[in-house]
Amino acid sequence: SDPAEFLDPSLGPKAVKQTRQQTIKKYKEMEKMSKDIHDEVIQIYPSGNKNVIVEFISSGTAPDGTKWSLPICSILTIENGQIIKDHTYYDNP
């Protein structure tokens, strides 16, 4: 939805509202940092009537050529066919 609520270590310790344009900008910046960024969905778990949990591995190559891989879990809340909340968890060193 526009806006949607995001809880993501890259955005700070608290949930924030982000517009669709802000979300697009974030993912474009990620792609600039790792042109081959890729997410592999491991499993999708339904949770109640409005939530889905997505377990995936994000991977790519850093600007210095180092390969990286990061396990991630996102809890998505969906209403009227749109994601209204995206609470994402991963280790943010």
Side-chain angles (χ1 to χ4, degrees):
S1 65
D2 193 9
E5 179 182 291
F6 290 86
L7 178 63
D8 185 313
S10 71
L11 299 173
K14 296 182 180 181
V16 296
K17 294 281 187 179
Q18 294 271 280
T19 65
R20 186 167 282 139
Q21 284 305 111
Q22 288 171 307
T23 302
I24 290 168
K25 181 181 177 192
K26 175 188 173 189
Y27 285 100
K28 282 184 177 182
E29 288 171 359
M30 287 172 59
E31 190 175 63
K32 284 180 188 175
M33 290 179 3
S34 185
K35 294 199 181 298
D36 63 343
I37 193 168
H38 174 76
D39 293 330
E40 178 185 347
V41 174
I42 304 301
Q43 187 71 37
I44 298 174
Y45 309 92
S47 179
N49 292 331
K50 297 195 293 185
N51 295 311
V52 129
I53 300 164
V54 182
E55 177 185 7
F56 60 100
I57 305 289
S58 190
S59 61
T61 307
D64 68 359
T66 306
K67 298 281 187 186
W68 59 270
S69 179
L70 181 65
I72 302 173
C73 184
S74 293
I75 302 169
L76 308 176
T77 302
I78 302 168
E79 285 184 0
N80 299 320
Q82 295 189 342
I83 297 170
I84 63 164
K85 292 181 183 179
D86 176 338
H87 289 199
T88 295
Y89 300 90
Y90 57 88
D91 186 16
N92 191 22

